[in-house]
Amino acid sequence: MSGTRPGTYFSLLGPVQAHRDDSPLPLGPPQQRALLAMLLCRRNAVVGLDELIDGLWGGEPPRSAVGTVRSYAYRLRRVLGGGLLTHGRGYALQIGPGELDLTRFEELTTRARAHVCAGDPEAARDLLVRALEMWRGPALAGLPGPQARIQRERLAELRLSVLMERVELDLRLGGHGGLVAELTGLCLEHPLNDRLRMLRDAALERGGRERGARTAPPGATAPTSTPPHLPVPAQLPYVPGDFTGRAEAVRDLLDALAPTAPDTVAVCAVGGIGGIGKTTLAVHAAGRLREHFPDGQLYANLRGVREDPADPAAVLAGFLRALGVTDPALPEEPRERAALYRTRLAGKRILLVLDDARDAAQIEPLLPGSPTCAVLVTSRSTLSGLPAARRLRLDVLPAAEALALLGRIVGEERIAAEPAEAAALVERCGGLPLAVRIAGSRLGTRPAWKLADFLRLLDGRGPAFGPAFGPGFGPAFPGRDGPEGSVEACFRLSYDLLDAGQARLFRLMAVPRTPTLDLASAAALAGLDPAEAERHLERLTALGLLESPAPLTYRFHDLLGEFAAARSEERDGPGERTAALLRLADHMLACAREAYAAERPGHPLVGLLTPTTARGASFEAGPSHIEAVLAVAVQTLEARPSAVGLIADTLLALDPALDGSFLWAALLAPARRVLRTAEEQEDLRAAGRTGFLLGSALTRLGRFDEAEAALHDAERAAAAAADEVVRTEILLCRAVVRQGRADWTAADALYREAIAAGTACGNAWGTTNARSNSVSTLLRLRRYEEAAEACRLSLTAAREGGDRYGEAHALYSLGIVARQGGRAAEAIARHRESAELGVRGGYPALEVMNLISETAAHLAAGHPREAAECGERALAATQRLGWRAAQARTLRLLGTALAESGDHARARTRLTQALAHLEALALPEAAQASAVLASVAPPGH
C-alpha cells in the first residue's frame, strides 16, 4: 500500500496534478509543484535537500532556499498525507502501484513490447494507443527550474519514441493510409529526426505516391519493406561540437567500415594513449556512418583500463535488451547469450562501437557473425589477437589541428591576436587533445587573460615538465619535452592555483581505489568539516580537476587521477595516506552502522560496532557503493594490518545491505583476506565476526560444505572472545546450513541453542530471527503447534520492534505453516503479503522465497497452471539475484507443475535443468526432481 492517503492519484504527463477520489488536490504555487514533480520522478527514492535546491534554482539559489524547500514539503505533507517522508536531509514520496500516470504509461509500453515479441502486433498497438492517450499535453507543463526542464525534455523524447513504435505497428498492420498527414506534421515538428522521415516515406510508398513527394536528404537509405518492431537502437554518445582534424583517420575508418558487399565482418581498431582522442574520433566516425547502418548503432564502454572491466556477458545483456529481448528471455550462460545476440544481428546492418577495450578476449564474445554488421573498437592496448581489417594508432594532433582545436575553444580572435603564443601553447600541450582542451577551458573561463601570461605561468614551472604518470601511462612521443611532461604542465597549472587545503584534498582523493567519492566520504578522507570539504571540491570541479557526475559526487578523469596519485606519492607519504584510508574506513563503518540500525531496529550489535566518527551519512546499498566499501576495506588492511578490528566491523555492518542486494559473491574474496589477517593478528573478535559473514555468504550461495567449516571456526573464535551477540547469529546460520542439508534434528538443536544464546545475551533480534527460521524444521519434525507458536511470537516481536524484515519473514513462515496445514489459500495470501513487504523494504531475497513457497502452495492446492505461472516469475527473480540454490528449487517446482498440467516437453526441460543444479549443489531435492523427471520421460526412455 502507498503511504499517501487512499485514493490518491498523481499526474506528470501534462500539468502536474493530484486527485483524491476524482477531486483535485491543491498543490500550491508552481515552484512547490516543481518540488513535487522531482519527488514523483524519483518514485519512492530519497531526494537530497541539496539536489532539490539545485533542481529548483540551479547554481544561484536564494539564501532562503533551505527554508523554502522545507516549507514546501510541510505544505505538501498536509495535503498528501504521511506518504511524504523525511530521510535525513532529504525527502521521499511513497507511491503505490497504479498511483502515478507515468508508471502506468511505462507498464503499458512494456506490455506492448512483450506482445510484439510474442507475435501479436494488434494487441501491442492497442496498448500503445492507450498509453499515448494518457498524455494531456507537454509533461510538467508550466513548471519552473532546471530539473523540470530536464525532465520535460526526457519525457518528451520518451513520448516521441513510443509514438514512433505505434506508427511502426500501424505500418505493419497495413494502416498506412491514415499516417501520412500525421507523419508529415511530426516531421515538421522534428525536422532532424531521420527515423520520422523514413516512416513517412514508407507510408507514402505504401500509399502509391511518387517519390518526388519526399524530402529526405540526398543519400538517405530507403526503409526496409517491413519497419522494425522496436525503436532502432541509437546508442552513440555525445560528440563535442569542437571536434577538429583527424581527416585522414576519419576517411580511413569510413572507407573500411562502409559496407560494400562484404564477405566478412569489418572490424577497425583505434589505439593510443589515454587522452589522445580515441573515443571522440570513433563516435564522430560512427555518426558519419549512420546512413550505411539503418538498423542502428550499439555502443558500450568496456572500461578496459579500470580494475573492474566490463563483463562481456553483461554487455551482451544490454545489447540484447536494445534488440528487443526481454529479461526473462535472456540466457543465463554467456555462450548461449552470445549465440542469441548473433542470431538477432543476422542480416541486420548495425554498427557496433566497443570503447576502451582491455584485450581481444573481452571483445570476442561481442563480435557479430553477420557480414552486414561492422565493429569499431578503441583501446589503449594493441589488441594483437583481434582480427581487425584496419588498425589506427593515433598520434598527437599536428600543430595546425591542435591550434584549430584551441581556437574553437577559446575563440579565433584570441588566436589571431597572439598567433606565436597560441602556437607555443599547443606545443606545450604536446598535441594531446585532452591537454589542449584543459588549457583551452582554463583560458575560456578567463577572457581577460593574455595567452602570453598563460605561457609565462607554464614556463615558470620547470620541474612540472618531468614525467607525470610513471610507466603505466603509455608510450612517449617524440619531442623536446614529450607529451607527458606537457600534460603535467597543463594539470599543474590548475593544481598550483590551489591553496594548501584544496591541494591536499585533491591529492588524497586519488588514494582510495574507488571510482567516485561523495561529499561526506571525501570530507572524512581528509579529516575536514563537510562544509569546508564542499567548498574545496567545488573549487576543484570548477578548475576542471574533478568531475561531478551527480550532485555532491566527485571523480577523476583517468589521467588526472594518475596525476593526483603521483602528487600524493611526492607530498603526503605512506603515513598520511594510511591515515586517510583509516578515516575513510571509519566513516564507512559509521554510515553502515546507521543503516544497520535502521534495518534491524533494536539489534544489540549496533552498540558493538565502534567507529570513532560521531555519526555517518546516509548509506546507499547499491552494488557500486558496497563494492567501494569492500575495496577500501582491503586497501586499508594492506596499509595497516593492525586495523583488522575496524575492518571486520565494517564488513559485519554490511550484513543487511548484502542481504538486501544479494551481492554475497562480491564479499567472498575480501572476507577471506580480512579473515587471514585477523588470524595473523590473533584477533579472535575480528576472526569470529568475519568468519560469520563469510559463512553467511557461502550459505546463501549454496556452498554448504565451505559454509559449515567457516561457521564452525567462527563460532570457536566468537566464544573465545565472549562475543555472544555474534555467536547467536553464527548458531542461527549453522542451523540454516543443516536445514539446507535436510538434517532436521541437527538443525533443530542448533536453532534451540541460538534461541538460548540470544536470550542469555539480550539479542532479541537474533532470537526472533531464529524462531522464524526454525519453522520449516519444526514442520518437518511434525511439531506443528510449536511451528505455529514460533511464527506468532516472531510476528509479534517484529511488529512491536518496528522490524520490517522480521515482520516479512514471520509472515513468510506463517505461509509455510498454512500450506502444511492444508490451508493453501491462506498460505498464498500470507506469501503475497510478505513479498510485498519484502519489495517495499528492499529485500529481494524475501520476494524470491515467497514466490517459491507460493508456487508450492498452488501445487498443494491442485492448481498446476497457477503454480507454473508463479514458478516462472520465481525463476526470473532467482536469475536476477544469481541465487543458484533458490533457482534449483524453483526449477524443480516449476517442472513438477508443468508435468501435472500435462506439458511434458517443457517439464522435461525444466526438470533436467533442476537436476543439474541440485546435483551440483548437493541438495537433497535432487531425488524428487529425478523421480518426477522419470514420470514424464517419453516412451522407450
Side-chain angles (χ1 to χ4, degrees):
M1 295 178 60
S2 167
T4 54
R5 293 172 186 166
T8 305
Y9 183 79
F10 298 93
S11 301
L12 288 175
L13 306 182
V16 173
Q17 297 174 350
H19 291 78
R20 183 174 298 123
D21 299 328
D22 297 326
S23 298
L25 297 177
L27 300 179
Q31 203 164 51
Q32 183 170 303
R33 286 186 282 115
L35 183 141
L36 173 62
M38 292 175 67
L39 298 174
L40 288 170
C41 287
R42 295 286 285 273
R43 281 174 277 188
N44 301 314
V46 177
V47 186
L49 182 61
D50 294 327
E51 186 178 349
L52 291 169
I53 291 172
D54 187 63
L56 292 175
W57 289 283
E60 298 182 0
R63 292 179 179 271
S64 60
V66 172
T68 301
V69 168
R70 287 176 174 159
S71 175
Y72 288 160
Y74 171 75
R75 294 174 192 167
L76 287 170
R77 187 180 287 115
R78 293 183 63 185
V79 174
L80 302 176
L84 181 52
L85 305 177
T86 302
H87 291 269
R89 282 174 53 84
Y91 299 93
L93 182 61
Q94 291 185 328
I95 304 296
E99 293 185 355
L100 178 63
D101 60 355
L102 176 58
T103 302
R104 179 63 178 153
F105 176 83
E106 292 170 341
E107 290 171 351
L108 288 170
T109 56
T110 300
R111 286 171 55 196
R113 289 162 186 160
H115 278 293
V116 170
C117 294
D120 190 355
E122 292 186 5
R125 192 260 180 201
D126 291 343
L127 287 168
L128 292 182
V129 169
R130 286 170 56 191
L132 291 165
E133 286 173 347
M134 298 177 66
W135 289 71
R136 298 167 290 104
L140 283 65
L143 295 190
Q147 187 58 224
R149 182 179 65 255
I150 292 169
Q151 291 294 341
R152 198 156 38 238
E153 292 172 357
R154 179 183 73 85
L155 292 172
E157 291 175 2
L158 174 65
R159 179 184 179 277
L160 180 60
S161 174
V162 173
L163 178 60
M164 287 190 286
E165 289 182 57
R166 192 225 79 208
V167 169
E168 288 169 346
L169 289 171
D170 280 335
L171 281 171
R172 183 178 176 186
L173 294 168
H176 49 274
L179 290 175
V180 174
E182 180 184 9
L183 286 167
T184 301
L186 287 170
C187 287
L188 291 172
E189 186 179 350
H190 305 279
L192 301 180
N193 192 306
D194 292 338
R195 187 172 163 209
L196 280 173
R197 286 200 297 269
M198 292 175 67
L199 289 170
R200 181 201 55 201
D201 289 351
L204 284 167
E205 188 174 45
R206 298 221 180 157
R209 299 191 186 181
E210 293 296 325
R211 288 183 175 269
R214 303 180 187 178
T215 56
T221 304
T224 56
S225 59
T226 301
H229 304 165
L230 294 168
V232 173
Q235 298 182 343
L236 297 180
Y238 168 76
V239 179
D242 54 22
F243 179 82
T244 303
R246 305 288 195 201
E248 183 177 351
V250 171
R251 186 167 55 252
D252 286 347
L253 292 176
L254 298 183
D255 291 342
L257 292 170
T260 55
D263 56 3
T264 186
V265 177
V267 179
C268 288
V270 179
I273 64 170
I276 202 71
K278 301 181 296 296
T279 299
T280 304
L281 169 66
V283 176
H284 173 78
R288 294 271 301 272
L289 287 162
R290 284 182 194 273
E291 67 181 46
H292 295 287
F293 296 93
D295 294 319
Q297 308 88 38
L298 297 173
Y299 172 90
N301 181 352
L302 301 183
R303 305 194 305 271
V305 296
R306 302 285 185 88
E307 292 185 357
D308 59 334
D311 181 0
V315 176
L316 283 171
F319 284 172
L320 283 168
R321 291 187 187 100
L323 294 169
V325 178
T326 59
D327 280 355
L330 283 174
E332 181 181 2
E333 293 298 323
R335 289 186 180 179
E336 295 177 7
R337 193 171 285 182
L340 177 59
Y341 163 72
R342 292 182 177 121
T343 299
R344 285 280 173 152
L345 291 181
K348 293 185 179 293
R349 293 163 63 182
I350 286 181
L351 175 64
L352 286 84
V353 179
L354 305 177
D355 192 19
D356 193 17
R358 170 163 287 198
D359 50 33
Q362 187 187 32
I363 298 169
E364 193 278 331
L366 307 175
L367 296 177
S370 174
T372 56
C373 296
V375 182
L376 180 51
V377 183
T378 75
S379 178
R380 295 189 188 185
S381 77
T382 58
L383 299 177
S384 57
L386 182 69
R390 183 77 172 91
R391 292 181 182 275
L392 295 178
R393 187 77 183 174
L394 291 190
D395 202 338
V396 295
L397 286 173
E401 293 183 8
L403 193 62
L405 175 59
L406 181 66
R408 298 191 70 172
I409 297 171
V410 305
E412 296 293 344
E413 65 282 358
R414 295 177 75 178
I415 303 298
E418 298 178 90
E421 290 78 5
L425 178 55
V426 296
E427 182 184 357
R428 298 297 191 278
C429 292
L432 199 67
L434 175 62
V436 174
R437 289 185 188 283
I438 291 172
S441 298
R442 196 81 186 90
L443 282 164
T445 59
R446 286 164 172 75
W449 278 27
K450 297 289 186 182
L451 270 62
D453 297 332
F454 193 85
L455 274 172
R456 276 192 291 273
L457 286 171
L458 282 174
D459 289 340
R461 305 298 195 271
F465 285 87
F469 304 111
F473 175 70
F477 290 91
R480 182 167 54 87
D481 298 308
E484 295 170 321
S486 297
V487 171
E488 182 174 342
C490 287
F491 291 167
R492 270 195 178 274
L493 179 62
S494 293
Y495 174 74
D496 289 346
L497 292 174
L498 304 175
D499 64 30
Q502 294 163 357
R504 176 175 173 270
L505 179 56
F506 172 73
R507 297 192 304 269
L508 292 180
M509 288 279 286
V511 172
R513 295 194 287 259
T514 57
T516 62
L517 284 174
D518 60 23
L519 168 60
S521 298
L525 180 76
L528 297 174
D529 174 82
E532 182 181 6
E534 184 177 4
R535 288 194 296 273
H536 290 346
L537 290 165
E538 289 302 314
R539 170 69 169 159
L540 293 168
T541 304
L543 290 174
L545 292 170
L546 285 178
E547 297 175 352
S548 181
L552 303 182
T553 303
Y554 304 89
R555 69 184 180 198
F556 284 110
H557 182 279
D558 289 349
L559 300 184
L560 280 164
E562 294 174 18
F563 173 83
R567 303 288 75 71
S568 184
E569 289 281 348
E570 291 174 357
R571 293 290 307 274
D572 300 318
E576 173 59 10
R577 293 198 299 277
T578 299
L581 286 170
L582 286 167
R583 288 191 296 266
L584 179 57
D586 189 74
H587 164 75
M588 287 178 164
L589 170 56
C591 295
R593 182 181 65 170
E594 286 201 7
Y596 195 111
E599 293 295 336
R600 297 181 179 175
H603 201 304
L605 186 61
V606 174
L608 302 177
L609 300 171
T610 53
T612 58
T613 301
R615 65 182 298 275
S618 60
F619 180 81
E620 297 281 347
S624 61
H625 293 82
I626 290 175
E627 288 166 3
V629 174
L630 295 175
V632 169
V634 171
Q635 189 181 358
T636 304
L637 207 59
E638 292 170 352
R640 182 71 59 80
S642 61
V644 68
L646 166 68
I647 300 306
D649 279 5
T650 303
L651 264 59
L652 184 56
L654 291 177
D655 192 12
L658 290 163
D659 218 13
S661 61
F662 213 84
L663 291 171
W664 292 105
L667 173 75
L668 295 181
R672 288 192 171 108
R673 173 72 174 84
V674 176
L675 184 57
R676 284 198 305 272
T677 304
E679 291 167 349
E680 292 165 0
Q681 296 286 317
E682 298 182 350
D683 190 327
L684 291 171
R685 178 175 171 276
R689 295 184 170 196
T690 308
F692 158 62
L693 204 59
L694 175 60
S696 294
L698 292 165
T699 300
R700 286 162 174 81
L701 295 171
R703 295 159 64 170
F704 290 137
D705 290 341
E706 297 173 78
E708 198 155 31
L711 291 167
H712 181 269
D713 293 344
E715 186 189 351
R716 286 197 305 174
D723 199 358
E724 288 299 302
V725 170
V726 173
R727 181 170 168 269
T728 302
E729 308 292 335
I730 296 171
L731 288 166
L732 166 58
C733 197
R734 287 188 62 199
V736 171
V737 171
R738 296 319 309 166
Q739 184 171 282
R741 290 294 197 203
D743 187 351
W744 310 111
T745 302
D748 178 52
L750 285 165
Y751 278 129
R752 289 175 177 273
E753 194 175 351
I755 292 169
T759 302
C761 70
N763 186 353
W765 195 96
T767 301
T768 298
N769 200 23
R771 280 201 183 96
S772 186
N773 274 278
S774 71
V775 169
S776 292
T777 292
L778 292 170
L779 290 171
R780 289 284 185 168
L781 295 172
R782 301 182 182 280
R783 287 154 48 188
Y784 302 114
E785 289 301 322
E786 286 184 60
E789 179 64 12
C791 289
R792 287 191 290 269
L793 289 172
S794 298
L795 185 60
T796 300
R799 284 176 171 169
E800 289 177 351
D803 178 6
R804 296 171 297 173
Y805 179 88
E807 180 182 359
H809 198 284
L811 288 167
Y812 163 76
S813 299
L814 280 169
I816 296 176
V817 169
R819 171 163 54 88
Q820 292 290 335
R823 304 185 304 278
E826 178 187 340
I828 291 168
R830 291 291 192 183
H831 286 312
R832 289 177 177 176
E833 184 181 2
S834 174
E836 183 181 354
L837 282 175
V839 171
R840 287 170 55 193
Y843 309 117
L846 269 175
E847 180 190 10
V848 168
M849 291 160 57
N850 279 287
L851 284 170
I852 295 172
S853 287
E854 185 184 337
T855 302
H858 284 299
L859 275 173
H863 301 141
R865 294 188 184 279
E866 290 84 348
E869 187 276 332
C870 188
E872 292 288 0
R873 288 189 285 119
L875 182 61
T878 63
Q879 290 169 339
R880 283 196 301 270
L881 286 188
W883 190 356
R884 289 189 64 204
Q887 184 179 348
R889 289 174 172 134
T890 302
L891 285 166
R892 180 184 70 80
L893 289 170
L894 178 54
T896 303
L898 291 168
E900 292 186 8
S901 65
D903 191 346
H904 288 180
R906 290 179 61 208
R908 285 193 293 273
T909 299
R910 292 307 193 189
L911 288 165
T912 301
Q913 293 170 337
L915 195 57
H917 284 291
L918 291 165
E919 289 177 344
L921 295 170
L923 294 175
E925 293 96 329
Q928 295 167 276
S930 182
V932 180
L933 180 58
S935 72
V936 294
H941 285 71

